Amino acid sequence: MKAVFERLSPRQRSYAAAAGIALISLGAGYGLSMLGGGSKGGDAASDTGCEEVLYWYDPMVPDQRFDEPGKSPFMDMQLVPKCADGDAQAGGGVSIDSGMVQNFGIRTADAEYGVLEPETTVTGTLAYNGSEVAIVQPRAGGYVQRTYGHAPQDLIARGAPIVDLLVPEWGGAQQEFLAVAATGDAALTSAARQRLRLLGMPEGVISSVARSGRPQSTITVTAPQSGAITSLGVRPGMTVMAGQSLAEISGYSPIWLEAAVPEALAGSARVGQPVSATLTAFPGERFAGRIIAILPSAQEASRTITVRAAMPNPGLRLKPGMFAQVTIAPERREALLIPSEAVIRTGERTLVMITQESGGYRPAEVRIGREAGGRTEVLAGLAAGEEVVTSGQFLLDSEASLAGIDVRPIDDAPTAAGEEGAQAQADADELRTYRATGTIERITARSITLRHGPVEALEWPAMTMGFATEGPAQVRGFQRGDRVTFTFVQASTGPRIVSIRKTGQ
């Protein structure tokens, strides 16, 4: 072999050396691959605990699949195996190893009935009471003889003088009345008195003329109510006509509070709901009131609905135009609640991940309602007692999407457990009767709205709310404003009146 090599030319020797090196490299590579292949399958099976691994993936990028284990190119973590023999997948769910549950921080919570009390905080402005506006007008034309020094925005008490008017045409009519009254003819005297009334003369002036026997052609126009003079159109020396507006007086006790509620939250406002307000002028104080109207149109620029509330104003401390932070208390009602963090909003529908009795997790579609205090109301798609995933649900949802697991429709939600739970709750509530006193705000054929005091047994504050009744016969004889004492039960469908009677009976 050596002799043959020596007989080769230098170029042939270099070719032979290169070929030998190549053969040695190929043999080494083949040997290493055989050694690795002999242990790879057993190690993968033993490390993952899977009889068969479909692929490896990064939980943070679940759409990317890898054929071999190793470190993720996206995150500083090892790839996770996807097993082909998951029991939960066979049952329509996502299977997660118990060790992975802890590593991923998966937590669950039960769907349960409770009372949701969302509070809506908005901005508002104090305003004059539009239902207490008086327009001061003379009943006859004349001349202004005297004004009393009032100016716009002055406070004025009811009965306070505003202006003295001289009415010339009253003088002749009063003289005729006195002449007729002197004849003693009752019929003519009554007709003459009626003529004075038709001329716009107040009854007090007519009686004064009859008693004194002297004409009285000057009248003092007074304020018909207490309030602020928001408009004043009379000055000394003016000539006024019958029906001309001399002044406008607006009351502000109670004062109006007009709050701008976002259109998305307008459904939570109801007439009769209590509200509270804080003002920078009175730090540390809260002023209470009730909603009296929800205006029918929305503000186009701000997309808000104006909610009007009436608030007591003793001492007239609250001034129109003041800015307020308004909190609208909600109606209390029982609902099926889950933690808000469990809700997955996809844009097209709303999902939660639920645990299955056979193990694993499955997505379920739900319809949700109000949200407050970290809890969300479930209107459909879930039953009381079902467990929902509150942490790690997005990872499970991605895994379910990759595995092609169907989402449980809303209509397929179990009802038996929910109905039994609701019935059990109702039976338990039937055993407990609560008593309270209140004032009737509204009566319908099947319900009654009461403004009642606190119910300590239920930790209820004083509020206005509706109660179901047993029918029209139960509230026959009652009317709005009656003070009543009543008992009720807290059924699964809401509070229901058991007995009701007027206070003092």
Side-chain angles (χ1 to χ4, degrees):
M1 186 70 173
K2 181 178 179 181
V4 173
F5 185 78
E6 289 177 351
R7 289 197 297 267
L8 296 175
S9 65
R11 177 176 292 182
Q12 290 174 333
R13 290 176 184 177
S14 62
Y15 288 156
I21 293 173
L23 289 173
I24 293 171
S25 300
L26 289 172
Y30 177 76
L32 290 173
S33 65
M34 292 300 292
L35 290 173
S39 61
K40 182 177 179 180
D43 291 345
S46 60
D47 291 345
T48 63
C50 299
E51 294 183 3
E52 181 182 355
V53 177
L54 297 177
Y55 56 85
W56 279 262
Y57 68 100
D58 184 340
M60 305 305 294
V61 190
D63 291 336
Q64 186 68 42
R65 302 180 181 184
F66 301 90
D67 295 331
E68 296 181 354
K71 193 171 184 178
S72 169
F74 310 105
M75 307 292 293
D76 186 16
M77 61 183 296
Q78 295 296 318
L79 297 175
V80 178
K82 177 67 175 179
C83 298
D85 56 349
D87 294 335
Q89 289 180 358
V94 178
S95 175
I96 298 292
D97 182 78
S98 58
M100 301 296 288
V101 169
Q102 184 174 1
N103 292 339
F104 291 156
I106 295 177
R107 301 192 307 272
T108 62
D110 290 338
E112 57 186 4
Y113 282 97
V115 177
L116 192 67
E117 299 183 6
E119 288 188 345
T120 303
T121 301
V122 296
T123 59
T125 306
L126 299 181
Y128 286 108
N129 191 329
S131 62
E132 295 186 359
V133 177
I135 305 297
V136 181
Q137 297 175 329
R139 297 184 178 182
Y143 307 97
V144 176
Q145 282 194 327
R146 177 188 177 187
T147 58
Y148 289 82
H150 297 299
Q153 298 302 319
D154 280 354
L155 293 179
I156 191 170
R158 179 177 181 176
I162 297 177
V163 62
D164 289 346
L165 293 180
L166 173 64
V167 186
E169 64 176 323
W170 282 4
Q174 291 174 356
Q175 289 284 9
E176 293 179 6
F177 168 71
L178 292 175
V180 171
T183 65
D185 190 324
L188 290 177
T189 301
S190 178
R193 181 183 288 267
Q194 182 63 26
R195 180 170 178 265
L196 296 182
R197 295 193 186 99
L198 294 176
L199 289 174
M201 199 175 300
E203 191 65 37
V205 174
I206 299 174
S207 299
S208 176
V209 170
R211 287 194 306 270
S212 64
R214 295 192 304 272
Q216 183 179 334
S217 56
T218 300
I219 181 176
T220 300
V221 180
T222 60
Q225 69 173 35
S226 299
I229 301 175
T230 52
S231 175
L232 185 64
V234 60
R235 292 293 183 268
M238 287 180 58
T239 299
V240 298
M241 301 176 61
Q244 180 178 336
S245 179
L246 303 181
E248 180 179 301
I249 301 174
S250 300
Y252 58 101
S253 181
I255 196 170
W256 277 3
L257 172 63
E258 295 189 341
V261 179
E263 189 175 354
L265 302 176
S268 63
R270 298 284 187 277
V271 173
Q273 276 183 263
V275 301
S276 61
T278 57
L279 293 88
T280 55
F282 307 102
E285 293 189 57
R286 296 189 72 88
F287 299 88
R290 291 192 179 275
I291 296 176
I292 59 173
I294 300 175
L295 303 194
S297 60
Q299 301 296 322
E300 295 183 1
S302 60
R303 304 313 306 166
T304 57
I305 303 294
T306 301
V307 174
R308 180 178 294 157
M311 301 173 60
N313 192 14
L316 303 180
R317 298 172 64 205
L318 305 180
K319 311 297 183 183
M322 284 184 171
F323 183 80
Q325 288 287 339
V326 186
T327 300
I328 303 177
E331 294 182 5
R332 296 176 59 99
R333 75 166 184 258
E334 196 173 58
L336 184 63
L337 305 176
I338 60 173
S340 297
E341 58 186 347
V343 178
I344 303 173
R345 294 176 173 88
T346 66
E348 297 181 355
R349 57 186 176 181
T350 304
L351 305 176
V352 295
M353 295 298 298
I354 59 174
T355 61
Q356 299 190 118
E357 295 182 359
S358 58
Y361 308 90
R362 181 186 180 186
E365 184 178 359
V366 295
R367 186 166 67 250
I368 61 176
R370 303 174 300 165
E371 181 178 349
R375 297 192 297 174
T376 298
E377 176 185 20
V378 178
L379 303 176
L382 207 60
E386 287 192 287
E387 278 189 287
V388 297
V389 179
T390 60
S391 178
Q393 67 273 29
F394 293 98
L395 170 63
L396 296 176
D397 182 51
S398 299
E399 181 68 15
S401 299
L402 290 173
I405 297 174
D406 293 333
V407 176
R408 188 181 77 182
I410 291 179
D411 297 337
D412 289 352
T415 56
E419 290 175 356
E420 290 174 3
Q423 184 61 43
Q425 181 68 28
D427 293 342
D429 289 337
E430 288 289 344
L431 300 177
R432 182 71 185 273
T433 301
Y434 305 94
R435 180 180 299 274
T437 59
T439 303
I440 297 176
E441 294 288 328
R442 185 185 177 200
I443 300 176
T444 65
R446 291 290 176 182
S447 67
I448 182 170
T449 302
L450 296 167
R451 185 175 74 250
H452 63 79
V455 182
E456 295 182 358
L458 292 173
E459 298 183 355
W460 284 6
M463 58 182 170
T464 299
M465 62 183 296
F467 294 81
T469 63
E470 297 177 358
Q474 190 177 34
V475 292
R476 186 174 292 123
F478 293 92
Q479 60 184 359
R480 186 176 183 273
D482 285 349
R483 184 74 178 168
V484 296
T485 300
F486 62 98
T487 59
F488 67 97
V489 294
Q490 186 70 335
S492 60
T493 56
R496 187 178 73 251
I497 295 292
V498 174
S499 65
I500 184 170
R501 60 183 177 84
K502 295 181 181 180
T503 302
Q505 293 185 353

